[in-house]
Amino acid sequence: MTTTQDSIERSPNAALSGLFAAVTTPRLASGAIDLATFDRHLELLLDADVDGICLGGATAEYPHLEVRERIDLLRHAARMLPRHKTLLVGIGASSIWRVLELGAHAFEHGSRAVLVPMPMFFRYEQEDLYAYVAEVARTLQAPCLLYDLPDFASPLAPETAIALLEQEPHVRGIKDSSGRPDRLARFADARGARGWTLLIGDDSKLADGLALGWNGGVSGLASFCPELLVALVRAATSGDATRLAHVRALISELIAALAAFPVPWGIRIALEARGLPTGPLPWPVSDERRAHAAKLKSWLPAWLERAEAADWSRVSSSSQG
């Protein structure tokens, strides 16, 4: 199997850049992973020319997956992914042993870096989070990106993140999903000329981050409409302000429409409306929720028609920074 591990060894300090689409976890009615739909989803993302994919993040609903399922999906995706596309893998789990197991498999199968979310459920002090990340990075001895996901895990203070970036050589960057605009300038200023990778995890802040010099984003919305997020990145990096404003308006409408749902549910319902059903949701669905989903499905075709009417080729791939 061809992997990107060679490129990791050749340029261990290179920053990642571009748009990385988060991938959902489709299920069969039995609860087993639906690999056929997973393959179709990857094809949708690759056809849209995303720079890479991210497995095992919030969009994948990682708390619902067994470690073995995640490793199997990783192996499967690594076989499908072209060599010139980047693989990122989230390794959040319920214990340090599972985190390290997932991290080892991620690098074995060509992940360019791993995303390290903070521990779930309980709230820990910042010194606990520092010790946790340091242990993961020192054990894996490979590029680790902090994954700040404060809605679902212990919040990572900017001071702690910057200390880790400055003091732990294998901590190479951050994916910030906090949605806090004040952090954009703070991390960009703290980075200076250093080669940290700064990735936006909140799609509503992606264009703002790019304007401040962030490297790109790991996008949940790109899981559903990768063409639109690719167009946003290309417009932002090429300085096409008119195009950027148009794309941002469409994205803002979509975010507002999905806001009523838990994040992955909204994306999965939207994918079904696009002809890519991802199977049953992980929890029973109420009648009220079904009504909300039906409303979303009835709204999406007109939005998709407007989104697809845009000529994505107007901003060519050669204009990317």
Side-chain angles (χ1 to χ4, degrees):
M1 177 186 66
T2 300
T3 74
T4 59
Q5 189 65 39
D6 291 343
S7 65
I8 296 171
E9 294 170 355
R10 285 195 300 269
S11 54
N13 296 313
L16 297 165
S17 64
L19 180 74
F20 307 99
V23 187
T24 61
T25 306
R27 297 276 188 181
L28 300 170
S30 65
I33 301 294
D34 182 354
L35 285 178
T37 299
F38 183 81
D39 289 351
R40 288 179 60 205
H41 196 186
L42 285 187
E43 289 169 2
L44 170 70
L45 303 178
L46 295 173
D47 286 346
D49 201 25
V50 297
D51 295 289
I53 63 167
C54 179
L55 304 180
T59 301
E61 300 170 281
Y62 73 85
H64 299 315
L65 276 74
E66 302 294 334
V67 170
R68 179 50 51 189
E69 291 178 319
R70 294 170 69 177
I71 294 171
D72 289 345
L73 277 174
L74 167 60
R75 289 172 174 162
H76 188 78
R79 287 194 293 267
M80 288 191 63
L81 198 65
R83 182 176 174 82
H84 67 285
K85 298 296 184 182
T86 297
L87 175 63
L88 301 177
V89 179
I91 59 172
S94 58
S95 72
I96 186 69
W97 302 282
R98 292 183 175 90
V99 169
L100 293 174
E101 180 182 6
L102 288 165
H105 281 280
F107 288 115
E108 178 185 347
H109 289 89
S111 185
R112 176 77 180 275
V114 294
L115 303 177
V116 185
M118 300 306 104
M120 301 177 291
F121 194 79
F122 300 110
R123 286 297 190 252
Y124 298 94
E125 298 296 331
Q126 293 300 304
E127 54 266 31
D128 302 321
L129 303 182
Y130 187 105
Y132 160 66
V133 174
E135 179 70 15
V136 172
R138 293 171 191 175
T139 302
L140 293 177
Q141 294 280 300
C144 296
L145 304 181
L146 304 167
Y147 184 2
D148 190 25
L149 195 64
D151 284 349
F152 311 118
S154 293
L156 184 66
E159 297 83 0
T160 308
I162 291 169
L164 283 161
L165 286 160
E166 291 178 336
Q167 298 169 19
E168 296 296 328
H170 293 292
V171 177
R172 303 280 172 75
I174 185 168
K175 176 198 172 187
D176 190 304
S177 296
S178 70
R180 290 182 52 181
D182 58 298
R183 296 193 176 200
L184 300 179
R186 182 162 188 184
F187 281 114
D189 291 343
R191 175 178 61 182
R194 290 176 286 199
W196 301 350
T197 293
L198 302 182
L199 299 176
I200 298 290
D202 183 325
D203 288 301
S204 69
K205 304 296 185 294
L206 179 55
D208 297 328
L210 292 170
L212 288 169
W214 283 55
N215 300 87
V218 179
S219 171
L221 288 185
S223 185
F224 158 62
C225 54
E227 306 92 340
L228 192 62
L229 276 296
V230 168
L232 181 144
V233 172
R234 292 178 179 172
T237 55
S238 67
D240 188 341
T242 301
R243 180 73 162 167
L244 180 61
H246 175 60
V247 175
R248 291 189 75 171
L250 285 168
I251 290 174
S252 294
E253 289 181 34
L254 181 61
I255 290 172
L258 299 183
F261 299 91
V263 174
W265 289 23
I267 291 169
R268 292 178 63 183
I269 293 166
L271 279 167
E272 183 178 354
R274 195 169 179 178
L276 192 69
T278 58
L281 297 172
W283 302 113
V285 180
S286 68
D287 291 340
E288 291 82 2
R289 185 66 82 185
R290 292 181 195 280
H292 290 157
K295 184 177 180 180
L296 175 62
K297 290 177 186 178
S298 68
W299 175 84
L300 276 167
W303 181 89
L304 278 168
E305 185 176 345
R306 288 190 293 119
E308 291 169 356
D311 180 9
W312 305 120
S313 64
R314 279 181 55 200
V315 183
S316 69
S317 60
S318 63
S319 68
Q320 290 188 78

